[in-house]
Amino acid sequence: MDDLIKAQKNPAHQMTEKGRAIEEESFRIVDQEAGPHGFSPLEWPVVRRMIHATADFEYKALTRFSQGAVEAGLKAIQAGARILVDARMIACGLNPERLRLFGNEVVELLAHPEVVARAKATGGTRAEAAVAYAWEKGLLDGAIVGVGNAPTFLLALVEAIRQGARPALVLGMPVGFVNVLEAKRALMEAPVPWIVTEGRKGGSTLVVAALHALIRLAADGGVDTSRAYREG
């Protein structure tokens, strides 16, 4: 019974002993090879999991946090905030068991009939139409928004923020070549908490990794309890 209670409260306890050992060894290697950094004890677990998910240490240099971004994300997750994403890949990548810890609903709107119809009528992208629909339906305020695919989604989101939308946290990590840099710069000037990967790099995998790190921190009460971090 005690093990069941632990599994319900902490996603780490859902892993097998061997799986947990592999993850902790991976984190130890990341800590060792990454070396010194200027991230806070709440920020580094997010960056570390992004590196772990991609085997790309460049994210140590590319990842930026607004003041208090992680704290805002943890508060929102613990309050059961919805998670609005710009790609089905993100929704599919998020662990349902972890989402159930705090009752966080994942919303992805690009295939919604009203969104598709709006995009066809306006000649814009479905990503832009999805943000407009979410803003009209009151889905942005208090939400965690994860953007790993479409810069147009992020640009539309920043415009909605300028008009008064207030998501709890924005993960601005779109990948690509067109409007990517502009979208990320615009987000970093917006009056909301954000986590951004600078430059062209990004992707759905990074958003999933960052969200899993935040959920784990939320489950642990805002403390990184992995052995790798304690020993690093």
Side-chain angles (χ1 to χ4, degrees):
M1 181 61 70
D2 288 342
D3 289 341
L4 177 60
I5 293 173
K6 287 180 180 179
Q8 291 173 337
K9 290 184 176 180
N10 189 333
H13 291 290
Q14 297 166 2
M15 303 174 66
T16 65
E17 183 176 349
K18 183 175 182 180
R20 188 160 51 248
I22 291 172
E23 181 182 76
E24 290 184 349
E25 175 62 10
S26 296
F27 285 166
R28 186 195 66 77
I29 292 170
V30 172
D31 284 339
Q32 182 180 52
E33 294 190 16
H37 58 78
F39 296 108
S40 76
L42 285 179
E43 293 169 348
W44 177 242
V46 178
V47 179
R48 184 179 58 197
R49 189 167 285 276
M50 291 163 62
I51 294 172
H52 172 260
T54 60
D56 189 344
F57 283 87
E58 282 195 26
Y59 288 110
K60 175 186 170 185
L62 296 177
T63 307
R64 297 286 182 269
F65 296 81
S66 68
Q67 184 71 32
V70 175
E71 290 87 344
L74 298 185
K75 183 178 179 180
I77 287 171
Q78 291 168 340
R82 76 176 53 87
I83 300 173
L84 178 67
V85 300
D86 76 325
R88 173 59 56 183
M89 187 179 296
I90 300 174
C92 292
L94 292 171
N95 186 316
E97 294 298 325
R98 300 187 182 198
L99 293 170
R100 278 195 284 271
L101 288 170
F102 298 103
N104 304 107
E105 175 193 14
V106 179
V107 177
E108 185 270 315
L109 296 169
L110 269 72
H112 191 287
E114 291 188 39
V115 169
V116 174
R118 183 192 296 259
K120 289 181 178 179
T122 62
T125 67
R126 286 188 296 154
E128 292 168 325
V131 173
Y133 179 85
W135 177 218
E136 290 176 3
K137 298 299 182 181
L139 300 178
L140 294 180
D141 289 345
I144 295 176
V145 184
V147 187
N149 181 63
T152 54
F153 189 105
L154 187 53
L155 285 170
L157 177 63
V158 171
E159 182 57 33
I161 291 169
R162 289 170 179 162
Q163 294 176 21
R166 287 297 179 267
L169 173 67
V170 180
L171 306 179
M173 304 177 182
V175 60
F177 299 94
V178 179
N179 293 324
V180 172
L181 304 182
E182 296 86 346
K184 292 176 179 180
R185 281 197 295 265
L187 174 60
M188 288 191 284
E189 296 174 358
V192 295
W194 47 260
I195 305 174
V196 167
T197 55
E198 290 188 315
R200 294 171 170 175
K201 284 191 171 185
S204 298
T205 299
L206 288 171
V207 175
V208 170
L211 286 169
H212 279 162
L214 291 171
I215 293 171
R216 170 116 175 220
L217 281 168
D220 287 336
V223 178
D224 184 357
T225 59
S226 73
R227 188 177 67 192
Y229 189 80
R230 292 200 310 270
E231 295 179 353

